[in-house]
Amino acid sequence: QQQVKQSPQSLIVQKGGISIINCAYENTAFDYFPWYQQFPGKGPALLIAIRPDVSEKKEGRFTISFNKSAKQFSLHIMDSQPGDSATYFCAASLSGSGYSTLTFGKGTMLLVSP
Amino acid sequence: DVKVTQSSRYLVKRTGEKVFLECVQDMDHENMFWYRQDPGLGLRLIYFSYDVKMKEKGDIPEGYSVSREKKERFSLILESASTNQTSMYLCASRETTGLNTEAFFGQGTRLTVV
């Protein structure tokens, strides 16, 4: 049972455009929603994260939008650059537990064309 | 600079061999995780550990075991490697205190079973 569904599987965006990746979750107890960025040959690294008590979080060109009632959250990359080309994973987690695990989406391969 | 180090970047093993993948973290984190990453399937949790000598099965534990004799070291063991275990393996560690804590990943071990 996939608890976090991510779309699209791949995305091509022109330089300067907006990249949008969407995720939906099922477990309403999740209370931490990070996005990870992975470059080829590297492990994933935290990009930005949000808790459900806010509807949006922005860090530079990266914004998470969160819709608690719809159980959806999305990553927006403004002014996309070729250096943003990577695989992006959304994830969800339960806090308040000594051993909470991250449940990941299947990933989105983003290619930003020059 | 925080670091999760996996002992090998690339491994080639024969079917039936016993394989050890080693992971060391220098952040004094309680939680450590092993994921496998396959195209189109994202990151799937194999096992995790929340304390020394403690382990919990993840979503796909079959064919794997783990060992955590010291806090900083978490080993993944393939008892009898099979070709369907050819994959990228990622180790991660995470703090338990605090609500929203970042998971730090190693660079991955690409295992090929022939």
Side-chain angles (χ1 to χ4, degrees), chain B residues 79-103:
Chain B
E79 296 290 342
S80 177
S82 64
T83 55
N84 63 13
Q85 293 179 308
T86 291
S87 186
M88 170 70 84
Y89 290 89
L90 290 162
C91 174
S93 73
R94 192 181 187 199
E95 183 64 82
T96 54
T97 57
L99 292 179
N100 307 320
T101 56
E102 179 178 355

Side-chain angles (χ1 to χ4, degrees), chain B residues 46-57:
Chain B
I46 305 171
Y47 266 97
F48 66 100
S49 169
Y50 54 92
D51 201 350
V52 175
K53 297 192 185 295
M54 306 304 290
K55 60 184 179 183
E56 291 285 340
K57 293 180 180 179

